[in-house]
Amino acid sequence: MSRYTAVTDADLGEMLATIGVGSVDELFADVPAGLRVEGTLALDDGLSEQEVYGELAALAQRNLSTDEQITFLGAGMYDSYVPALVDSITARAEFLTPYTPYQPEVSQGGLQAMFEYQTAICELTGLPVANASVYEGPSAVAAAGYLAKLHNGRSRFLVSAGVHPHAVQSLATLAHGWGMTVEVVDLRDGVTSVEALRQAGLDEDVSAVIVGQPNFLGAVERLAPIVDVAHRSGALVVCAADPVSLGLLQAPGAQGVDVVVGEGQTLGNHLNFGGPSFGFFAVTEELIRRLPGRLVGQTRDAEGKRGYVLTLQTREQHIRREKATSNICTAQALNALAGVIYLSWLGRQGLVELAELLAQRTAYARERLVAIPGVTPVHQQPVVREFAIRIDGDMDAVLARCRAAGINPGYRYAEDCLLVAITEKRTRAQIDLLADTIAEALA
Amino acid sequence: MSDQLTAPRSRWFIEAADDELTIFERSREGRRAFTAPRLDVPERPLDELIPAELRRPEVARLPEVSEPEIVRHYTRLSKRNFDLDTGFYPLGSCTMKHNPKLHERIAGLPGNADLHPLQAVEDAQGALELMWRLQHSLGEIAGLPHVSLQPSAGSHGELTGVLITRAYHEANGDRRTKVLTPDTAHGTNPATVTMAGYELVKIGTDAHGNVDIDDLRRHVDTDVACLMLTNPSTLGLFERHIEEIAKVVHDVGATLYYDGANLNAIMGICRPGDMGFDIVHFNLHKSFTQPHGGGGPGAGPIAVAEHMEPFLPRPQVVRREDGSFDLDHDRPRSIGRMRGFQGNYGVFVRSYAYIRSLGAAGLREASEVAVLNANYLLARLRREGVLEYLPAAYDRICMHEFVLSGAVMKRELGIRTLDLAKRLLDHGVHPPTVYFPLIVDEALMVEPTETETRETLDHFAAVVAEILREAATDPEIARTAPHTAPVRRLDEAGAARHPVVRQPL
Ligand SMILES: Cc1ncc(COP(=O)(O)O)c(C=O)c1O
């Protein structure tokens, strides 16, 4: 008997007798003899709880956490502060352990929280409909591509080079199966240019134009002109946005973007070496019946009391099967819950204060770094929380020097370029240390 | 109907006479929970940083609430959820087994929770080693040597697997157009087929609940890229002719895909790879204890045979000759990425902790007890007379779950499977999966899992019997159930007719 099962010898005898078989083996009579595993699997023996803890804690010790290094890594996931109340509430078994709410009468807590989450995402994105989460950021872009394909049946995606490379690659993986092409349109001075989109052939074959906000290089895009040209050719516009930056920036939906998706990690989720986090997904009213995944709607119970249910399920795989708008089933509900708790914690003013703090510190950091001889900005565009620099010098020496100083200076997205991310955890003193260290390395 | 009739009153929920306000309705101007860190850099006019025309004219209308209000609000909401730690949750196809607390502790260690995905590999050796070991363990359990942990859930694994199938055929210069699934398949299977750019062809089920081999033979040709199956099937039955099925499929050069949602029946007993499957996905949130979170997160790693290995997603976790671990991006024939970074690592930590806890013998025991518990529960229901109204869809020894049909109950007692499910809620038991698989009329799919005690199973059998007895005298009680949950039956049709999917602000 393992510690997670409870069949005593006495139980076993009585249970087998009740079933009417002589042994557990007989229950597997349908398994052809030739297919049985002989002996046991080649896996190590089980361990006590204490031993498992010891072994896995030792593995975790061999990872350098953001507690142990001053990190300027970002590029899609950020070393943001996770408030204690988020961890405390999401650890509650009532949120942690239920399945997807198939029985709404006993799932009102999770359903209402999802309804609140959807509302918060609508506010951030400026769109009227948001689903209850998708897996994460990059695959959300691929899912948006599928929505566009179902919507207009066209054959090409025009993707700004400012979209996260993992998103471009995830879309390309799926688009291959749809017989569609993914064409990457170069940036001009760090942002997507309408001219470049036109030159790339923005015509009636284009299903969707996809941009980032801010984009991968941290630059704030001007969405309205992009929406304008894309809509003139009948293409949808998909925007992959950073949710905290949206505290400060024009809501993409308000500028005519049809689908706003993004990575939600920075909203109250730990880095977890890349997951789990959540992806958000919001659309216009017109696209509601093409939305992938779960959607919570408000309704009434038999006594007229307000309640919540999964709704418009005729979009979904369990009803519509091969005609579904997506195959997604299990998504990232707990992580989205962390997201709405976090957004409630920030609140109306707090979101603005946080985004402004990031913008101020990021501007300071950018100014300090580009003042170093040998460091140049990759672009001059406005930024919120992240910016790109070019190192005209020995990049390896920069990295080594930073490492020795306990700093991770950012993501080396190209041989001579770094993407530097600022979170509310990065203080002026830490930014100064980064600047001084890079300056020393390049001196 | 008197109160007495609707008893027992559930102990699980706070009494909620009125509906719960939303967090937005609790908002009052000026309240806050957040205190911003000090602005420690010289402040610049915002217009200099981000031109006004790029900024929001109005702030996003998030709630304005204090910290205590947030904590109380979400704690109150939590008490309106049924959960696995509170009671029996025999949701078929979902494997609601115990979620060990140890796993949360380990996943929360800073080296796991606060590790950036782009951290240099030399600074993430523990994480990469854990992933590598998990890959190895899953490969051994599946009987297929090559594993990618990248997919985010079962359906994402399905899509990955079918796209790998596509890449494999294309590499052979072979353009195939169709994918087969049985009519018992979970909805994600057909949806995946379309999403991967294939045409779906449905295969029938024979009188014993197995794949109808003649029907399979009729539909199999060189246009078929793949057959997606789960074994045990969604009927909870072991596919006896699996070897023959594999042969039929492989004879036309198609691949055989294993939907791992039902792996909990066979861990350490038999292996999909040995059955002839070429690709397997795992649901770490089912067989491997990742808490389900009310709808995720999960993870859907896949294991594949040798000939599929080149097509696995990029990057792969590998062990270098010097014993260090690395991410291999240099995979020219890979289908590409399925998502950002390396997958749901936090889920991998929990599932690997589970595998280390149980070991080979423990995993086997888990599956044996899962099957024992299911058969015992079926026998207890029979002894209680329940099967007279809810006969098993197929009268065979079941695996880790079984499917009953409520058709007789509906005819004789005038209550539907839905009514039985809702009445179970009043007894503090989560209902089984209902109305799936589609080929069983009024289906009720019961999966007790290995972590439940015999007493719990006995109690469930007694409760179902009691509900049937009650329905024989007054079916209205079940028809109007639940009576003790935070809300009564909800108007789902109305919700879909006039969708209200966000709070009007
Ligand atoms: C048989 C079967 N296949 C596939 C899935 C999909 O798995 P997921 O929800 O992880 O995407 C499920 C989930 O319920 C299932 O029961």
Side-chain angles (χ1 to χ4, degrees):
Chain A
M1 203 181 355
S2 82
R3 57 184 174 270
Y4 306 135
T5 52
V7 181
T8 63
D9 288 346
D11 286 332
L12 180 64
E14 287 168 40
M15 290 168 84
L16 290 173
T18 306
I19 298 167
V21 293
S23 69
V24 169
D25 241 23
E26 280 179 48
L27 300 175
F28 291 93
D30 281 343
V31 180
L35 293 182
R36 308 283 180 91
V37 170
E38 284 175 32
T40 56
L41 296 176
L43 296 174
D44 292 333
D45 289 341
L47 298 174
S48 68
E49 168 164 340
Q50 179 189 325
E51 289 165 315
V52 175
Y53 179 80
E55 187 176 305
L56 270 66
L59 280 177
Q61 280 281 313
R62 292 172 51 210
N63 302 323
L64 200 59
S65 79
T66 57
D67 285 358
E68 300 163 287
Q69 193 183 39
I70 302 166
T71 191
F72 293 89
L73 277 175
M77 289 208 169
Y78 301 91
D79 178 28
S80 313
Y81 182 72
V82 178
L85 88 178
V86 170
D87 284 343
S88 157
I89 295 168
T90 56
R92 295 184 65 84
E94 298 93 332
F95 287 129
L96 183 66
T97 67
Y99 205 77
T100 300
Y102 292 148
Q103 295 291 340
E105 295 85 355
V106 292
S107 312
Q108 285 300 297
L111 285 162
Q112 181 173 330
M114 282 306 101
F115 182 79
E116 296 172 0
Y117 160 83
Q118 290 171 185
T119 305
I121 295 298
C122 288
E123 273 302 298
L124 287 181
T125 58
L127 286 169
V129 183
N131 77 6
S133 77
V134 291
Y135 303 132
E136 45 86 65
S139 56
V141 170
Y146 193 58
L147 177 149
K149 168 197 147 58
L150 295 179
H151 182 65
N152 57 30
R154 296 178 174 193
S155 60
R156 302 166 58 208
F157 294 111
L158 284 191
V159 185
S160 159
V163 172
H164 196 292
H166 292 178
V168 182
Q169 293 160 26
S170 301
L171 174 65
T173 304
L174 269 59
H176 175 72
W178 312 329
M180 293 178 73
T181 57
V182 174
E183 298 157 50
V184 177
V185 182
D186 282 342
L187 301 176
R188 307 255 165 106
D189 190 26
V191 288
T192 312
S193 108
V194 167
E195 202 33 51
L197 285 173
R198 281 217 192 86
Q199 280 168 14
L202 178 45
D203 59 24
E204 291 75 55
D205 291 335
V206 175
S207 179
V209 171
I210 307 179
V211 296
Q213 180 69 315
N215 69 25
F216 184 67
L217 300 182
V220 178
E221 296 274 6
R222 287 168 194 274
L223 297 175
I226 298 169
V227 169
D228 190 48
V229 285
H231 280 178
R232 254 185 273 152
S233 76
L236 291 180
V237 179
V238 174
C239 175
D242 170 62
V244 169
S245 300
L246 292 184
L248 210 51
L249 301 179
Q250 281 267 16
Q255 299 186 292
V257 170
D258 303 282
V259 182
V260 182
V261 298
E263 170 57 57
Q265 177 269 328
T266 189
L267 304 177
N269 279 267
H270 292 270
L271 289 163
N272 295 323
F273 199 41
S277 59
F278 69 94
F280 56 90
F281 201 115
V283 299
T284 58
E285 205 72 66
E286 187 199 355
L287 294 172
I288 186 169
R289 281 170 205 280
R290 304 230 183 257
L291 192 70
R294 313 289 183 191
L295 180 65
V296 175
Q298 186 185 299
T299 189
R300 299 263 156 208
D301 78 355
E303 290 170 351
K305 205 193 270 185
R306 181 169 63 170
Y308 304 88
V309 292
L310 296 177
T311 196
L312 297 183
Q313 296 193 66
T314 51
R315 299 165 295 113
E316 288 193 68
Q317 43 77 27
H318 61 286
I319 311 263
R320 194 52 68 81
R321 299 180 72 85
E322 71 272 19
K323 297 198 178 65
T325 57
S326 163
N327 70 343
I328 193 169
C329 182
T330 295
Q332 306 278 144
L334 192 72
N335 307 95
L337 172 69
V340 70
I341 298 169
Y342 180 82
L343 286 170
S344 303
W345 177 76
L346 277 184
R348 190 173 298 202
Q349 290 311 320
L351 174 65
V352 176
E353 290 166 10
L354 174 64
E356 286 186 9
L357 177 73
L358 295 181
Q360 293 286 356
R361 283 190 180 163
T362 302
Y364 175 77
R366 190 190 207 186
E367 218 163 80
R368 286 253 16 216
L369 293 191
V370 301
I372 300 168
V375 178
T376 50
V378 171
H379 62 76
Q380 306 282 357
Q381 303 297 336
V383 297
V384 181
R385 61 155 29 177
E386 198 160 24
F387 58 96
I389 54 173
R390 179 166 288 113
I391 305 281
D392 303 313
D394 188 347
M395 175 72 96
D396 290 331
V398 169
L399 297 183
R401 188 109 191 177
C402 284
R403 192 181 163 83
I407 301 171
N408 192 323
Y411 178 53
R412 186 181 190 175
Y413 71 94
E415 206 42 40
D416 58 345
C417 294
L418 282 178
L419 195 55
V420 182
I422 305 295
T423 70
E424 65 279 18
K425 286 166 76 175
R426 294 293 79 80
T427 61
R428 176 181 182 161
Q430 294 175 338
I431 293 168
D432 288 341
L433 183 63
L434 171 70
D436 294 344
T437 310
I438 293 179
E440 284 163 23
L442 291 175
Chain B
M1 215 182 322
S2 75
D3 268 0
Q4 212 181 346
L5 277 178
T6 58
R9 289 199 72 79
S10 164
R11 287 163 289 146
W12 313 129
F13 307 106
I14 56 169
E15 297 299 323
D18 301 313
D19 63 13
E20 284 291 317
L21 296 179
T22 68
I23 193 78
F24 291 91
E25 288 163 344
R26 295 184 191 279
S27 176
R28 295 292 179 274
E29 198 181 328
R31 287 190 189 151
R32 53 160 55 232
F34 174 71
T35 314
R38 198 167 54 85
L39 181 63
D40 51 2
V41 299
E43 183 168 3
R44 306 249 311 261
L46 211 47
D47 284 344
E48 270 178 33
L49 304 183
I50 300 162
E53 73 270 17
L54 293 178
R55 300 205 312 270
R56 255 179 205 268
E58 284 158 19
V59 296
R61 292 164 296 176
L62 297 179
E64 295 181 88
V65 280
S66 67
E67 165 157 341
E69 282 179 287
I70 298 171
V71 171
R72 185 164 293 162
H73 174 73
Y74 287 105
T75 303
R76 285 180 66 88
L77 286 193
S78 78
K79 292 177 186 282
R80 292 160 75 85
N81 270 0
F82 185 90
D83 72 288
L84 178 60
D85 281 5
T86 300
F88 188 37
Y89 214 130
L91 197 62
S93 210
C94 300
T95 312
M96 297 299 281
K97 63 168 76 175
H98 173 63
N99 305 144
K101 300 299 167 189
L102 168 68
H103 302 177
E104 300 310 307
R105 179 180 286 176
I106 297 172
L109 293 171
N112 290 326
D114 301 323
L115 179 61
H116 194 284
L118 294 170
Q119 186 59 272
V121 290
E122 61 268 28
D123 292 330
Q125 283 295 300
L128 294 172
E129 178 168 350
L130 183 143
M131 290 170 71
W132 188 84
R133 290 201 214 165
L134 178 61
Q135 287 177 185
H136 175 82
S137 304
L138 293 175
E140 172 66 13
I141 293 163
L144 291 167
H146 302 287
V147 175
S148 166
L149 300 176
Q150 204 178 95
S152 308
S155 70
H156 206 217
E158 293 171 31
L159 187 55
T160 310
V162 177
L163 289 172
I164 285 174
T165 283
R166 175 183 279 284
Y168 164 75
H169 290 308
E170 284 175 1
N172 295 334
D174 203 351
R175 299 217 163 257
R176 297 179 178 230
T177 57
K178 296 186 284 197
V179 171
L180 314 180
T181 68
D183 54 8
T184 52
H186 189 259
T188 51
N189 294 182
T192 295
V193 170
T194 310
M195 230 177 147
Y198 284 107
E199 184 194 326
L200 176 81
V201 179
K202 255 196 290 189
I203 304 299
T205 298
D206 73 15
H208 306 287
N210 295 315
V211 168
D212 181 339
I213 301 237
D214 295 331
D215 199 36
L216 175 65
R217 284 217 175 80
R218 268 194 295 281
H219 287 100
V220 143
D221 57 35
T222 52
D223 253 1
V224 172
C226 177
L227 168 65
M228 299 179 80
L229 270 191
T230 173
N231 191 17
S233 69
T234 60
L235 295 165
L237 303 173
F238 194 88
E239 191 63 63
R240 285 180 189 141
H241 309 298
I242 187 59
E243 292 163 294
E244 194 179 344
I245 292 169
K247 183 166 183 327
V248 170
V249 169
H250 288 151
D251 279 350
V252 294
T255 65
L256 189 57
Y257 182 92
Y258 184 88
D259 176 338
N262 295 327
L263 191 77
N264 210 47
I266 62 164
M267 296 186 297
I269 291 160
C270 54
R271 310 193 300 173
D274 299 337
M275 297 177 204
F277 286 93
D278 305 287
I279 311 170
V280 168
H281 86 246
F282 304 83
N283 298 66
L284 297 188
H285 42 302
K286 295 182 180 180
S287 337
F288 297 94
T289 72
Q290 163 66 27
H292 212 281
I302 59 166
V304 301
E306 202 64 46
H307 54 290
M308 303 292 207
E309 191 279 338
F311 311 108
L312 284 176
R314 199 169 26 225
Q316 268 292 92
V317 177
V318 293
R319 183 154 78 172
R320 301 290 184 204
E321 268 170 22
D322 65 0
S324 68
F325 298 89
D326 201 358
L327 289 169
D328 182 12
H329 292 268
D330 183 20
R331 301 181 53 77
R333 299 169 76 195
S334 162
I335 58 165
R337 273 190 174 278
M338 290 300 291
R339 54 161 289 162
F341 307 114
Q342 290 82 236
N344 280 344
Y345 172 75
V347 178
F348 308 152
V349 172
R350 292 171 174 88
S351 294
Y352 185 64
Y354 179 65
I355 291 171
R356 279 310 275 130
S357 290
L358 264 60
L363 286 173
R364 185 188 172 102
E365 194 225 308
S367 285
E368 286 177 347
V369 176
V371 172
L372 175 72
N373 276 357
N375 279 286
Y376 175 73
L377 182 54
L378 185 59
R380 286 288 286 116
L381 289 166
R382 182 175 284 122
R383 187 191 281 177
E384 295 280 352
V386 166
L387 298 197
E388 283 160 41
Y389 295 100
L390 287 154
Y394 297 88
D395 195 11
R396 281 170 54 180
I397 285 179
C398 67
M399 298 301 285
H400 64 308
E401 63 190 358
F402 54 87
V403 178
L404 307 179
S405 166
V408 181
M409 173 180 74
K410 183 174 158 193
R411 199 171 57 234
E412 312 248 314
L413 298 178
I415 67 167
R416 306 184 55 203
T417 289
L418 184 73
D419 304 321
L420 172 63
K422 298 301 182 197
R423 188 59 176 142
L424 279 168
L425 299 174
D426 288 327
H427 289 266
V429 170
H430 195 282
T433 293
V434 293
Y435 300 101
F436 175 71
L438 305 180
I439 64 162
V440 176
D441 192 18
E442 293 286 319
L444 194 78
M445 183 191 225
V446 189
E447 181 181 9
T449 85
E450 73 277 13
T451 60
E452 298 298 334
T453 63
R454 187 180 158 209
E455 298 84 74
T456 300
L457 307 179
D458 289 342
H459 176 70
F460 178 79
V463 164
V464 175
E466 188 184 324
I467 293 173
L468 295 183
R469 272 195 301 277
E470 176 188 81
T473 54
D474 188 354
E476 207 47 31
I477 298 174
R479 282 186 205 135
T480 52
H483 301 276
T484 57
V487 291
R488 302 292 300 277
R489 228 176 265 203
L490 290 151
D491 180 8
E492 299 194 26
R497 248 192 328 275
H498 306 288
V500 178
V501 295
R502 68 173 199 286
Q503 174 110 54
L505 296 175

